[in-house]
Amino acid sequence: MSTDKQQRKLMKDLLDYLNPASSGELNNLRERLESILTPSELTELPNRLAIIKQIKAGVPQHKIAENLGVGVATVTRGALAIKNGQFANVPPYSNSELAKLWPSGAK
């Protein structure tokens, strides 16, 4: 098992690898993510962000779970993270974004 210090170094290495400024090209970011994540992980990460944005937009948790095909517990974990002060810099989806992503009704 990694020590805290080792884990911080590993995270720094990952962020350096993913940082578009280090490569000079934003387009490389997707390729870099695809090179280290499984297809399932590539789906889960955007879903986690979508959970946060929907919660902030006032979408009920059960509807978010339905919209994304995830468990309510996953959505609740996002709600708790927001309550604990995380994701302050993540804006909510606008009503037009919600309508475009979930035409049958996001709310």
Short mmCIF file of all heavy atoms in Angstrom, two decimals, residues 63 66-67 98-107:
data_model
loop_
_atom_site.label_atom_id
_atom_site.label_comp_id
_atom_site.label_asym_id
_atom_site.label_seq_id
_atom_site.Cartn_x
_atom_site.Cartn_y
_atom_site.Cartn_z
N LYS A 63 -34.19 11.40 -10.04
CA LYS A 63 -34.23 11.71 -11.47
C LYS A 63 -32.82 11.73 -12.05
O LYS A 63 -32.61 11.28 -13.18
CB LYS A 63 -34.93 13.06 -11.69
CG LYS A 63 -35.17 13.39 -13.13
CD LYS A 63 -36.12 12.39 -13.79
CE LYS A 63 -36.37 12.76 -15.23
NZ LYS A 63 -37.11 11.75 -15.95
N GLU A 66 -31.85 8.21 -12.62
CA GLU A 66 -32.53 7.73 -13.84
C GLU A 66 -31.89 8.30 -15.10
O GLU A 66 -31.65 7.57 -16.07
CB GLU A 66 -34.00 8.14 -13.76
CG GLU A 66 -34.84 7.70 -14.94
CD GLU A 66 -36.26 8.25 -14.84
OE1 GLU A 66 -36.86 8.19 -13.74
OE2 GLU A 66 -36.77 8.75 -15.87
N ASN A 67 -31.62 9.59 -15.10
CA ASN A 67 -31.02 10.26 -16.27
C ASN A 67 -29.70 9.61 -16.68
O ASN A 67 -29.41 9.47 -17.86
CB ASN A 67 -30.76 11.74 -15.99
CG ASN A 67 -32.02 12.57 -15.93
OD1 ASN A 67 -33.09 12.14 -16.35
ND2 ASN A 67 -31.90 13.77 -15.38
N LEU A 98 -29.97 21.24 -19.68
CA LEU A 98 -30.72 20.09 -19.20
C LEU A 98 -31.69 19.59 -20.27
O LEU A 98 -31.80 18.38 -20.50
CB LEU A 98 -31.50 20.45 -17.92
CG LEU A 98 -30.67 20.64 -16.66
CD1 LEU A 98 -31.53 21.24 -15.55
CD2 LEU A 98 -30.06 19.31 -16.21
N ALA A 99 -32.39 20.50 -20.92
CA ALA A 99 -33.36 20.12 -21.95
C ALA A 99 -32.68 19.47 -23.14
O ALA A 99 -33.23 18.54 -23.75
CB ALA A 99 -34.15 21.36 -22.39
N LYS A 100 -31.49 19.93 -23.46
CA LYS A 100 -30.76 19.36 -24.60
C LYS A 100 -30.25 17.96 -24.26
O LYS A 100 -30.31 17.05 -25.09
CB LYS A 100 -29.59 20.27 -24.97
CG LYS A 100 -28.85 19.83 -26.23
CD LYS A 100 -27.66 20.74 -26.51
CE LYS A 100 -28.11 21.89 -27.35
NZ LYS A 100 -26.97 22.71 -27.82
N LEU A 101 -29.74 17.77 -23.05
CA LEU A 101 -29.19 16.48 -22.64
C LEU A 101 -30.27 15.45 -22.36
O LEU A 101 -30.08 14.26 -22.64
CB LEU A 101 -28.29 16.64 -21.41
CG LEU A 101 -26.97 17.34 -21.67
CD1 LEU A 101 -26.34 17.78 -20.35
CD2 LEU A 101 -26.02 16.42 -22.43
N TRP A 102 -31.38 15.88 -21.77
CA TRP A 102 -32.47 14.97 -21.40
C TRP A 102 -33.78 15.54 -21.89
O TRP A 102 -34.58 16.08 -21.11
CB TRP A 102 -32.48 14.74 -19.88
CG TRP A 102 -31.24 14.06 -19.44
CD1 TRP A 102 -30.96 12.73 -19.54
CD2 TRP A 102 -30.07 14.65 -18.87
NE1 TRP A 102 -29.69 12.46 -19.07
CE2 TRP A 102 -29.11 13.62 -18.65
CE3 TRP A 102 -29.73 15.96 -18.52
CZ2 TRP A 102 -27.87 13.87 -18.12
CZ3 TRP A 102 -28.48 16.19 -17.97
CH2 TRP A 102 -27.56 15.17 -17.77
N PRO A 103 -34.04 15.43 -23.21
CA PRO A 103 -35.23 16.05 -23.81
C PRO A 103 -36.55 15.59 -23.19
O PRO A 103 -37.53 16.32 -23.20
CB PRO A 103 -35.16 15.64 -25.29
CG PRO A 103 -33.76 15.22 -25.52
CD PRO A 103 -33.22 14.75 -24.19
N SER A 104 -36.58 14.39 -22.65
CA SER A 104 -37.83 13.88 -22.06
C SER A 104 -38.11 14.48 -20.69
O SER A 104 -39.11 14.16 -20.07
CB SER A 104 -37.79 12.36 -21.98
OG SER A 104 -36.74 11.95 -21.12
N GLY A 105 -37.22 15.33 -20.24
CA GLY A 105 -37.43 16.00 -18.95
C GLY A 105 -36.40 15.61 -17.92
O GLY A 105 -36.41 14.50 -17.43
N ALA A 106 -35.48 16.52 -17.64
CA ALA A 106 -34.43 16.23 -16.66
C ALA A 106 -34.95 16.35 -15.24
O ALA A 106 -34.42 15.75 -14.34
CB ALA A 106 -33.27 17.20 -16.86
N LYS A 107 -35.97 17.14 -15.03
CA LYS A 107 -36.47 17.38 -13.66
C LYS A 107 -37.70 16.60 -13.38
O LYS A 107 -38.65 16.38 -13.62
CB LYS A 107 -36.69 18.86 -13.41
CG LYS A 107 -35.38 19.63 -13.38
CD LYS A 107 -35.61 21.05 -12.96
CE LYS A 107 -34.32 21.82 -12.88
NZ LYS A 107 -34.47 23.14 -12.38
#
